[in-house]
Structure formats: structure tokens, C-alpha cells
């Protein structure tokens, strides 16, 4: 059965063996199985190899500045709450250049899905350390090895009460796809941190390394327990995978906007009232 998001035989700019290919296939399968129509979806990304993923899906997309995917995705969802909005980029783009946007998007809780390709390196610019690079990781820039503490996106998200926080490995296709589907269906902000190997610029965190250094949260684990979720997010000797934290108690950003209190018509479908605009401008003179 054909996938409506397939673009056919196109030129893809990733290296052979790149983990992005597996993520692209999982995202396409997830969207198709959820029966989300391409015209009702918009993908938003910033800059980087992972940020190219919307280019390879037959749907709408907005490709913006480095690190600026989340505010654009929040604005798109606020203007048209009926759309499915996915913000997707790499660990450098989301947690580095976009770090401040990441924090404040967690606080706002827009109903968007945030997929972050985490290969612990900057691939587009050929191998500098990223915010999630592990201590001691050597690069052409960090020649003596990374000395900084790695950014922990899951711990930050749980600390700020993000309503859906998960981590997956792209090598575990079926488990990962099911978590992506749950994230897309979740009402409110959903973070899925996706481990993926960069075969060209990260020779440490390989497919085998992720297999040997990860495990799945046990079936008895309760994702409603915030304190337990935070503790599990801090584990580093072996890294847990799965849904760490989940709840639906926070209102979404767009549901709190005054523009929708009396009129649920999406802002994108309303006509501008230039008389009111003129009155407003005159009142400020």
C-alpha cells in the first residue's frame, strides 16, 4: 500500500547509513497509520541535517532559522488549532541554538509534537560537539575532549512539567514508531528525544553503542509519577528508553488565548476588520 507522504525517487542529502533515514521512515509510517491527511499536517524545522526531514515528506512545511522551529510551530498551531503540527530538528538546533525556545515552549504547552534527532554531534557542520555530546568526546574542535556536562532534555522537560516526555532509539523500529504515534495523538506538548547514530562524525555513539547502553523502562513503570520520571531521566550508566512522564492536566497554549474565548474560528480563517484596526490605531495617537 502506498504511503501518501512518499515523494518517490528523490535526491536525499544524508550520508549512506545515516540514522535519519530510519527516522524518516518511522515518521511516514506513523502519520499514515494515524490516517493524518498530508494537507492537515505541517512540519516545522530549523537548520541541520535532521532539519531537512520535512523536505522529504509530501506535506506542508516551514523551514526557518537555526533554533527557531518551536516558536514558529507554536504560532502556526495558535493560528490554526485544527492542524497537526510537528517540530522536528536535531539536538544542536533544538537544545543548543534553540535552547531558550525549548524551555519556554515547555512552559507554554502548545499542542505540538517535538521530535529531536539526538546523535550527540553537529553533523551538518562536520563534527563539532553538540549540547548532548558525552564528556571526553573528541572532535576537530574539542581536541582534548568535551569537558562540559551534557544537556539533559528529559530532566529539563520533566522539571518544567511537560505533559509528554519520551526517549526512543531509531534502531528499535516498532517500539519507536508506537511511541511517536502516541506523542502525535497526545493533547499538549510532546517531546520525543530520538537516539540516532551519525555514521560520519560520531564514531563513538554507534548503532552498537546505543544497543549496548540503553534499555526499556519496565512494564510496571508508572509514567504519571513525576518524581520517579525525574530520577529515571538522570540515569546515565545505562540509559532508559520509553515514555518517562505523561499527564493531561495542563491546558494547551492555544486554548488559553483570548481570541478563542467567544469565537472558536481559527485565526487563519478570520477576515481582517480594517475599521477596527483603524479605530485602534487612532486611539493610540
Amino acid at each position: 500500500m502506498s504511503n501518501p507522504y512518499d515523494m518517490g525517487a528523490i535526491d536525499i542529502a544524508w550520508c549512506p547509513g545515516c540514522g535519519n533515514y530510519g527516522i524518516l521512515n518511522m515518521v511516514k509510517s506513523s502519520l499514515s497509520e494515524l490516517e493524518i491527511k498530508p494537507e492537515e499536517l505541517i512540519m516545522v524545522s530549523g537548520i541541520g541535517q535532521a532539519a531537512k526531514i520535512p523536505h522529504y515528506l509530501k506535506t506542508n512545511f516551514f523551514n526557518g532559522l537555526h533554533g527557531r522551529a518551536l516558536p514558529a510551530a507554536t504560532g502556526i498551531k495558535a493560528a490554526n488549532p485544527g492542524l497537526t503540527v510537528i517540530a522536528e530538528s536535531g539536538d544542536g538546533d533544538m537544545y543548543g541554538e534553540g535552547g531558550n525556545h525549548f524551555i519556554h515552549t515547555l512552559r507554554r504547552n502548545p499542542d505540538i509534537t517535538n521530535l529531536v534527532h539526538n546523535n550527540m554531534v553537529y553533523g551538518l557542520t562536520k563534527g563539532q560537539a553538540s549540547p548532548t555530546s558525552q564528556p571526553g568526546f573528541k572532535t576537530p574542535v574539542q581536541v582534548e575532549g568535551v569537558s562540559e556536562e551534557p544537556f539533559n532534555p528529559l530532566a529539563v522537560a520533566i522539571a518544567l512539567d511537560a505533559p509528554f516526555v519520551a526517549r526512543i532509539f531509531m534502531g528499535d523500529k516498532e517500539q519507536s514508531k508506537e511511541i511517536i504515534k502516541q506523542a502525535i495523538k497526545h493533547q499538549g506538548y510532546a517531546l520525543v528525544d530520538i537516539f540516532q547514530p551519525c555514521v560520519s562524525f560520531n564514531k563513538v555513539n554507534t548503532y552498537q553503542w546505543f544497543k549496548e547502553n540503553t534499555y526499556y523502562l519496565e512494564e510496571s513503570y508508572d509514567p504519571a509519577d513525576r518524581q520517579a520520571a525525574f530520577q529515571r531521566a538522570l540515569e546515565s550508566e545505562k540509559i532508559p528508553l520509553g515514555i518517562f512522564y505523561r499527564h493531561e492536566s495542563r491546558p494547551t497554549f492555544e486554548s488559553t488565548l483570548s481570541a478563542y474565548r467567544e469565537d472558536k474560528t481559527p485565526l487563519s480563517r478570520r477576515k481582517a476588520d480594517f475599521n477596527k484596526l483603524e479605530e485602534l490605531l487612532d486611539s493610540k495617537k
Side-chain angles (χ1 to χ4, degrees):
M1 182 177 176
S2 63
N3 187 305
Y5 289 90
D6 267 335
M7 297 190 71
I10 58 172
D11 185 23
I12 292 183
W14 298 326
C15 304
C18 175
N20 285 330
Y21 288 102
I23 299 174
L24 174 63
N25 289 332
M26 282 193 293
V27 171
K28 283 196 292 191
S29 297
S30 299
L31 292 167
S32 178
E33 290 176 20
L34 290 173
E35 298 183 344
I36 296 172
K37 297 177 181 176
E39 61 268 28
E40 295 174 352
L41 170 76
I42 183 159
M43 305 282 294
V44 187
S45 67
I47 298 295
Q49 293 292 7
K52 295 174 182 173
I53 201 163
H55 303 184
Y56 309 140
L57 290 159
K58 190 183 287 184
T59 188
N60 312 290
F61 75 87
F62 179 89
N63 195 188
L65 300 175
H66 211 345
R68 303 311 191 253
L70 288 173
T74 301
I76 290 166
K77 186 69 181 182
N80 192 347
L83 291 174
T84 297
V85 180
I86 297 177
E88 186 161 6
S89 275
D91 47 296
D93 189 59
M94 285 290 179
Y95 305 145
E97 284 79 7
N100 202 34
H101 294 303
F102 176 68
I103 289 171
H104 294 287
T105 301
L106 297 173
R107 294 177 56 235
R108 293 190 183 100
N109 189 34
D111 184 18
I112 65 173
T113 306
N114 191 185
L115 305 179
V116 185
H117 302 210
N118 186 353
N119 56 16
M120 305 178 183
V121 73
Y122 280 95
L124 183 69
T125 47
K126 305 191 184 307
Q128 300 90 348
S130 82
T132 55
S133 295
Q134 302 297 293
F137 180 64
K138 292 184 178 179
T139 79
V141 177
Q142 290 79 20
V143 293
E144 296 182 352
V146 170
S147 58
E148 296 94 338
E149 185 68 17
F151 182 71
N152 188 327
L154 275 68
V156 171
I158 295 164
L160 290 172
D161 202 25
F164 188 103
V165 181
R167 178 191 285 132
I168 60 178
F169 168 47
M170 56 69 57
D172 299 329
K173 296 177 183 175
E174 289 305 314
Q175 299 100 314
S176 297
K177 184 181 69 175
E178 290 307 312
I179 290 176
I180 289 175
K181 288 164 65 178
Q182 291 187 54
I184 293 172
K185 289 192 295 183
H186 184 82
Q187 188 167 17
Y189 172 85
L191 170 67
V192 183
D193 185 71
I194 308 173
F195 281 159
Q196 58 131 155
C198 173
V199 295
S200 295
F201 299 109
N202 187 340
K203 303 297 186 184
V204 175
N205 307 111
T206 61
Y207 284 90
Q208 189 64 27
W209 186 93
F210 284 117
K211 276 289 186 187
E212 293 175 353
N213 289 277
T214 59
Y215 74 96
Y216 280 90
L217 294 167
E218 54 274 15
E219 288 188 6
S220 60
Y221 175 78
D222 179 10
D225 186 335
R226 189 178 180 190
Q227 289 192 356
F230 190 75
Q231 288 182 328
R232 301 304 286 267
L234 298 179
E235 293 183 11
S236 58
E237 189 171 343
K238 270 226 165 188
I239 306 172
L241 303 172
I243 299 173
F244 286 64
Y245 186 48
R246 182 175 197 168
H247 69 88
E248 295 186 355
S249 59
R250 289 179 60 190
T252 62
F253 171 71
E254 53 276 11
S255 71
T256 64
L257 297 176
S258 60
Y260 293 122
R261 282 181 194 153
E262 298 179 357
D263 185 353
K264 301 300 183 188
T265 305
L267 291 173
S268 59
R269 295 181 187 169
R270 298 185 195 181
K271 293 183 179 178
D273 188 333
F274 292 103
N275 290 329
K276 286 186 177 179
L277 180 60
E278 190 171 349
E279 289 175 12
L280 175 65
L281 293 175
D282 288 341
S283 71
K284 303 299 180 185
K285 290 180 180 176

